[in-house]
């Protein structure tokens, strides 16, 4: 019986600009989001990279909003459900 050669193709390696699906922390997400905004504002990216970075920015924004909402909910629990005014003094 003849042997069939197996494909030696491998998945393409991730490029250094590929970001993880989620951020490690709120602060890391915010920092990456700020960098993305700077890149987008510069207007020097090719269209495909522009779209990719915009999508990543949307993911990071959703992550940051979710983290902020979770913290707000924790604070409400600690304060008995009543939001208290912020004292800037």
């Amino acid at each position: 019986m003849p042997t069939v050669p197996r494909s030696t193709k491998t998945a393409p390696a991730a490029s250094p600009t590929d970001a993880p699906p989620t951020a490690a922390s709120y602060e890391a997400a915010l920092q990456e989001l700020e960098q993305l905004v700077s890149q987008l504002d510069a207007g020097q990216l090719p269209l495909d990279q522009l779209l990719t970075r915009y999508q990543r920015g949307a993911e990071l924004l959703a992550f940051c909003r979710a983290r902020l909402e979770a913290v707000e909910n924790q604070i409400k629990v600690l304060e008995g459900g009543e939001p208290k005014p912020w004292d800037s003094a």
Side-chain angles (χ1 to χ4, degrees):
M1 175 178 250
T3 60
V4 178
R6 293 185 181 175
S7 174
T8 57
K9 291 182 182 179
T10 58
S15 71
T17 59
D18 286 346
T22 57
S25 67
Y26 173 83
E27 292 78 10
L30 190 59
Q31 182 179 10
E32 185 180 346
L33 188 56
E34 288 172 349
Q35 291 172 350
L36 286 172
V37 168
S38 294
Q39 291 172 354
L40 294 173
D41 283 345
Q44 300 296 317
L45 296 172
L47 187 58
D48 60 335
Q49 289 181 13
L50 182 72
L51 179 59
T52 301
R53 284 178 172 83
Y54 180 85
Q55 290 170 331
R56 176 63 179 164
E59 292 171 0
L60 291 168
L61 182 59
F63 174 83
C64 288
R65 285 182 174 163
R67 290 295 300 139
L68 286 174
E69 185 177 341
V71 169
E72 285 176 352
N73 289 336
Q74 289 175 343
I75 290 171
K76 285 179 185 176
V77 167
L78 294 173
E79 294 178 346
E82 287 293 319
K84 297 187 177 163
W86 182 259
D87 233 352
S88 61

